[in-house]
Amino acid sequence: MTDSDDIQQRVRKIRRKNWIVLFVLLGFAVSVTAYSALHIRSEMRMSAPASGAAAIGK
């Protein structure tokens, strides 16, 4: 009986660690995507008046 209890505890521990790793990776992916989107938006704001306004007006 102790073997099956040990195995169940080990499985629970592994699953818990897997969830933690999943959330860390998701957080990293979301932060990289958000940073990229904000950077692209700021780049568009800086270049829009110089080249974008002339192209849109014609």
Side-chain angles (χ1 to χ4, degrees):
M1 276 185 51
T2 58
D3 289 338
S4 66
D5 290 341
D6 289 341
I7 291 172
Q8 287 177 354
Q9 287 179 353
R10 186 168 184 234
V11 167
R12 280 191 221 117
K13 187 176 181 181
I14 291 171
R15 286 183 181 163
R16 190 177 328 126
K17 285 183 179 183
N18 285 346
W19 279 109
I20 292 169
V21 170
L22 175 68
F23 285 126
V24 168
L25 290 175
L26 283 174
F28 177 75
V30 167
S31 65
V32 167
T33 303
Y35 177 78
S36 177
L38 291 173
H39 181 73
I40 290 170
R41 185 177 292 171
S42 69
E43 289 288 326
M44 287 175 58
R45 272 193 237 132
M46 285 193 295
S47 66
S51 63
I56 294 172
K58 291 185 178 184

